[in-house]
Amino acid sequence: MIPNALLLLAHLLQAPAERLALQHFHDSLVGLDSTALAAVEDRERRAARRGELERLRYGLAALELARAGRVSRFGAAERTFEEVARRRADWPFAWYGL
């Protein structure tokens, strides 16, 4: 029988399916122009209130928008990843963004 603490730990870790979904989302941003990235970032910013996974999507969108030339978005991406890393230190995508 698995102790309750291990079940709780397994529940808190970022699921492989979540990591894969984030990777696919990140891959979908590569190659978009800054106008399209800004639209995605805006949509994800509104969705980020729902939870940590959505915050990571917003951080990834802000990061790619910054890489596309809107350097002011680096700060938004960094703050988002730091916030998620504080709340969910065991989620690798929060650290990836930093």
Side-chain angles (χ1 to χ4, degrees), residues 16-91:
E18 291 173 332
R19 290 192 303 270
L20 184 60
L22 285 168
Q23 185 62 53
H24 286 305
F25 174 74
H26 183 252
D27 291 347
S28 75
L29 300 175
V30 175
L32 294 179
D33 65 21
S34 61
T35 303
L37 284 167
V40 171
E41 185 207 29
D42 186 55
R43 182 189 71 220
E44 296 304 326
R45 179 184 48 76
R46 289 187 304 249
R49 297 180 203 125
R50 292 188 212 141
E52 303 307 324
L53 191 61
E54 290 79 7
R55 281 185 182 86
L56 286 176
R57 287 174 56 101
Y58 167 63
L60 290 169
L63 181 61
E64 288 306 313
L65 185 56
R67 288 179 177 161
R70 296 196 188 170
V71 295
S72 64
R73 304 313 300 149
F74 276 121
E78 181 180 29
R79 285 187 300 277
T80 301
F81 291 128
E82 285 175 347
E83 180 182 311
V84 175
R86 268 194 315 275
R87 293 178 182 174
R88 302 302 300 259
D90 55 334
W91 282 19

